[in-house]
Amino acid sequence: EIGVRDWSSDVCSSDLSLGMHFWELPALLAGVITLVELIVHSYKQKKREKEFDEDRTERLETIQQEVTGKPVTSR
């Protein structure tokens, strides 16, 4: 039969290869998840900004063409 003292010493001495204790894993996992979420958010934000800029440019060219009656050749 294993006593509490034996179990706790086994758990405390069973560090992971990174030199971490098992109770540090949730914090590490939360950090990795947060980092991934930030990367995905940044990518999506840049994509939205690019689409917005392209749409704005297209609308401005359409307005300019309507006002001047000439096709826009700035692209």
Side-chain angles (χ1 to χ4, degrees), residues 11-12 16-18 20 22 27-28 39 50 59 64-65 69:
V11 170
C12 292
L16 300 174
S17 62
L18 296 174
M20 298 175 58
F22 77 96
L28 176 64
I39 291 169
K50 181 181 176 188
R59 288 175 184 226
Q64 183 179 3
Q65 184 176 357

Side-chain angles (χ1 to χ4, degrees), residues 56-58 60-62 64-65 70-75:
R56 181 184 60 201
T57 300
E58 185 178 315
L60 288 173
E61 288 174 352
T62 301
Q64 183 179 3
Q65 184 176 357
K70 298 178 184 176
V72 179
T73 60
S74 63
R75 285 192 179 188

